[in-house]
Structure formats: structure tokens, C-alpha cells
Amino acid sequence: MTETIGTPLDKTPGLTPPPGQSSNFEINNHLDDILIGTVTVCLILTTSFMIARLILRARVDKAMKPEDYTSVACWVGFVIYNGIALAIGAAGAGRHQWDVSVAGVIRVGWLGNVIEIVYGPTVWLAKLSVLLQYKSIFVTTKRGIVHWSILFLIWMNFLFYLVDTLVIIFQCRPRAKIWNFLLPGTCMNAHTNFIVTGAWNVFSDFMILALPLYAIWHLKIALKRKLGIAAVFASGLFACVASIVRLYYSVRLAETEDVMYVFMQVALWGLAELTTVVLCGSVVILPKFIQLLRGRTGKPSSGYNGHGSYGQSSDGPSVPGGNFPRPLISSLAAPWADLNGSVHSTVGSYIPLNERQVPNQARGDSTLDSDEPTKGGIIKTIQIETERFPRFE
């Protein structure tokens, strides 16, 4: 760092310029322009998906799940994270350090510490939302590889990001030395923490991507159907790519003196990774939300309509008196797996029926007219076979 006695900190460059170059505090920050565009796109995407998720819960499911609450909390943290990122760019991050004043470097250091503190809980909530979503879809018993892998990742992520956040908060004595290099004191190696965090993100992102693919592969359904369902979860692949690139820039950050420039690249790829994980927690509801929109716009839908009646279903087996849909996977647990394009409203594992919806032949009374109301009570019980998820062991 450059220190000039008697020169104000806002006039002193944060790093000695390379030979043949000079400091320019007014130079355009092109990475800040990229940051503004990236933040805008990321906020629009995540907010849109969050609104769609909440509308679906209110209009169709009529109830919130644990992963919905963690998703909302994660989204709040994500908005805060993006606001701080914009402030960091405005303070000078993204420029070469010799084009940023010492005062600017100190401010970026303070904001950088704040955003790192926000990052840990936010990314943990994002990954927790995804894992809870997987649990509600793929886990039917408290046993098996998928069940224990989900629990392992939930608790290991919690412990890692807790320790990581504590290290970020208390990495220097006094704490103000974290952002003010002019103060006396001692610090841990902050760059090492960046690399360790990046390496853990790569590992956990690939694990979270592999879990649903493993579960889907063991489903007893056609290969084409497996690939279609897997494509919904494959969006997590971009989080893995972003975490690898972020790790690369984290290693560069530890090797360079031009911290202001490389730090912005770490922040940009960290934002891309975090955005993808946030979206992965809500992307599985997209097909069901589209079905809801089609229903609202008056497009015909088949199967159970959520209001106590059945329509025609081209996918279901023909039953005298009406066509019943053929469920493969519970629409309550896995809305993306609906076969007939309709929006289902279920209670537990059952679809509610009233007396007039049961075909006469199913009652065991072929003499009753289909429009004649029936008397109360159980007329006949029948045994049916249903397909459920296998135990992933």
C-alpha cells in the first residue's frame, strides 16, 4: 500500500501503479456496470420465482411447508446481499487498486466484511430450502441413502457456514483491522478462508446436484420420463460451474496485490452461484405454476380440478361413468410429475370425492341412474394398486 505523509487518504492511491501507468480515480469502472446488470437480472429472476411459489401455495396447496419459510428468509438475505454488492461496486471494487484511494480501499474492506457475514447464512438457507424440497419429494421412509445424505448435507452445511461466519467476524484483533490496514493488530489469513469456502461450495453443490439424479435414476419409470424429470433438477449444474469459477478467482485473490479488481470477480461469480441455488429451490414448482396459469386463463384441463369433480383425462384408464387420472407420483409431494396436465389438490395421499363422483359400477349397483344421488354410508370397498417411490437404499 502507498502511504504519503501529509496526503489525505482520499487522495492517496491504494497501491503503487505498475511502471508506465498512473493512478486515475475517475476512470470508468466497467466491472461495476456488469455488476449492476447482473444484480438486476438476478433480482428479477429470484423475485419472480418467489412470487410464483407463494401464489401456488396460496391458491393450490393452501398451506406453507418448511422449505417455503426458509426460501422466503433466503430471499430476504439475497436482496440484502445484492444491495451491499452494489455499494461495494460504487465504492471502487472492480477497478485496479491503484485507481482507488486508500479511503476507498478501507470502505470496500468494511463492506466486503459485511457482505461475507451476510453470505454465510443466506447460502445455507438457500441450500437448506433445496434439501428440504428433496426430502419432501424423494424420501418416504427415514432410511436409505437419499435420506441420510440429505441429513448429512443439512448439518454439515450448517456447521461449516456457522464456523465460516464466526471466522469472518473475528478474523482480526482489533476487529476494525479487518478493513483498516493502517491500524496495528493481528489477523488470520483471510485469503485462505476464501479458498476453503470456495472448495466447500464446489463439493456441496455437486452433492446437491447428484442427490435428485440418483433418486430419479432408481424410479421405475421409462427412460424418457426419467430424463424429463432430471432436466428440471439439472439447473443446479450451473451452480457447480459458478462455484468452480469462484474458487479459481479466490485462489487468484490470494496471489495478487490488486485486491480491488479480483475481489469484484469473486463477488460476481459468488452472486451467480447464490442466484442459481436460490432458483433451484423454486424451479420444481414452475410446471405446476404454469398449469395454474392455464387454468386461470380458461384453457381446458383434465383430471381432478381441485373443486370436487373430475373432467376427462386422456392419460387415465377408462372407467364406466368417468375417466380417472392415473397418478404416478403424489402431486402434493411432486407437482412437477403430474402426468395429465391438471392442477391437483390433495389431502395427504388421498383425493377427496363426494358421493356423486363415484361411478355406479364402482358402487356395485348398476341399476342406479348416474344422475341419481346416493344415500350416505359405504356402498362397496375395492382394492387398488398404486405406484410409490422405491426406498433408495
Side-chain angles (χ1 to χ4, degrees), residues 53 55 73 80 188 250 261 368:
R53 185 187 192 113
I55 290 175
I80 296 172
M188 300 170 60
S250 296
Y261 185 75
L368 291 176

Side-chain angles (χ1 to χ4, degrees), residues 65-76:
K65 298 180 181 180
E67 56 264 34
D68 299 321
Y69 293 109
T70 55
S71 293
V72 171
C74 168
W75 178 81
V76 172

Side-chain angles (χ1 to χ4, degrees), residues 19 51 64 69 83 89 105 126 130 167 196 204 210 216 229 325 332 371 380:
I51 292 173
M64 294 277 285
Y69 293 109
V105 172
V130 175
V167 169
V196 171
S204 61
I216 292 166
I229 299 173
L332 182 64
D371 293 329
K380 184 177 180 180

Side-chain angles (χ1 to χ4, degrees), residues 174-189:
R175 215 183 91 76
K177 187 171 175 56
I178 296 174
W179 55 85
N180 190 346
F181 59 91
L182 300 176
L183 295 177
T186 58
C187 291
M188 300 170 60
N189 192 330

Side-chain angles (χ1 to χ4, degrees), residues 354-361 363 365-376 379:
N354 60 38
E355 295 174 3
R356 294 179 62 86
Q357 293 162 351
V358 182
N360 295 336
Q361 288 83 347
R363 299 190 190 108
D365 184 2
S366 59
T367 63
L368 291 176
D369 184 76
S370 60
D371 293 329
E372 180 183 349
T374 63
K375 297 180 180 180
I379 298 177

Side-chain angles (χ1 to χ4, degrees), residues 20-345:
Q21 298 192 40
S22 59
S23 298
N24 182 359
F25 297 160
E26 304 299 326
I27 193 171
N28 181 52
N29 186 353
H30 72 281
L31 284 182
D32 187 40
D33 296 334
I34 295 175
L35 175 66
I36 293 173
T38 303
V39 166
T40 301
V41 172
C42 292
L43 283 176
I44 290 174
L45 284 174
T46 55
T47 303
S48 300
F49 272 76
M50 184 57 59
I51 292 173
R53 185 187 192 113
L54 295 178
I55 290 175
L56 192 65
R57 291 292 183 249
R59 296 293 301 274
V60 179
D61 297 327
K62 308 296 184 183
M64 294 277 285
K65 298 180 181 180
E67 56 264 34
D68 299 321
Y69 293 109
T70 55
S71 293
V72 171
C74 168
W75 178 81
V76 172
F78 182 76
V79 172
I80 296 172
Y81 180 93
N82 279 269
I84 301 171
L86 291 175
I88 289 175
R95 297 177 180 175
H96 291 291
Q97 192 153 322
W98 53 85
D99 293 326
V100 182
S101 67
V102 172
V105 172
I106 292 174
R107 177 163 176 77
V108 170
W110 177 73
L111 290 170
N113 184 249
V114 174
I115 202 172
E116 289 170 20
I117 294 172
V118 172
Y119 175 82
T122 302
V123 73
W124 178 72
L125 284 169
K127 294 182 179 182
L128 177 63
S129 300
V130 175
L131 291 169
L132 289 176
Q133 185 82 55
Y134 291 173
K135 186 174 183 293
S136 67
I137 294 174
F138 296 112
V139 176
T140 57
T141 59
K142 294 182 178 180
R143 54 183 295 185
I145 293 176
V146 174
H147 169 71
W148 292 114
S149 297
I150 288 174
L151 291 183
F152 169 79
L153 286 173
I154 287 175
W155 286 106
M156 286 303 297
N157 276 312
F158 172 75
L159 292 175
F160 178 85
Y161 290 114
L162 174 63
V163 173
D164 178 64
T165 302
L166 292 175
V167 169
I168 290 169
I169 295 173
F170 302 108
Q171 61 184 285
C172 288
R173 300 178 63 183
R175 215 183 91 76
K177 187 171 175 56
I178 296 174
W179 55 85
N180 190 346
F181 59 91
L182 300 176
L183 295 177
T186 58
C187 291
M188 300 170 60
N189 192 330
H191 298 315
T192 300
N193 185 60
F194 265 101
I195 296 174
V196 171
T197 301
W200 174 260
N201 285 339
V202 172
F203 169 76
S204 61
D205 287 345
F206 271 101
M207 285 289 292
I208 291 174
L209 174 65
L211 270 176
L213 301 182
Y214 172 85
I216 292 166
W217 185 254
H218 286 76
L219 290 176
K220 296 180 179 179
I221 56 178
L223 177 60
K224 182 178 180 181
R225 186 69 180 161
K226 288 181 181 180
L227 295 177
I229 299 173
V232 176
F233 296 93
S235 56
L237 182 62
F238 185 74
C240 299
V241 174
S243 63
I244 292 174
V245 179
R246 182 181 187 272
L247 176 60
Y248 165 76
Y249 282 112
S250 296
V251 173
R252 281 196 58 191
L253 186 64
E255 298 173 344
T256 184
E257 291 185 341
D258 193 4
V259 174
M260 293 294 99
Y261 185 75
V262 180
F263 179 76
M264 176 61 85
Q265 295 170 317
V266 174
L268 282 170
W269 284 102
L271 178 59
E273 178 201 6
L274 183 55
T275 301
T276 307
V277 178
V278 172
L279 292 177
C280 284
S282 297
V283 72
V284 295
I285 61 94
L286 187 57
K288 192 173 181 180
F289 182 72
I290 293 175
Q291 293 169 5
L292 176 63
L293 292 180
R294 287 176 177 175
R296 292 180 61 184
T297 55
K299 293 184 180 181
S301 64
S302 56
Y304 182 68
N305 62 17
H307 298 285
S309 63
Y310 278 90
Q312 298 297 312
S313 171
S314 60
D315 294 314
S318 178
V319 179
N323 290 332
F324 283 64
R326 182 188 65 208
L328 176 65
I329 301 170
S330 168
S331 62
L332 182 64
W336 41 266
D338 190 8
L339 293 181
N340 57 23
S342 62
V343 178
H344 289 246
S345 177

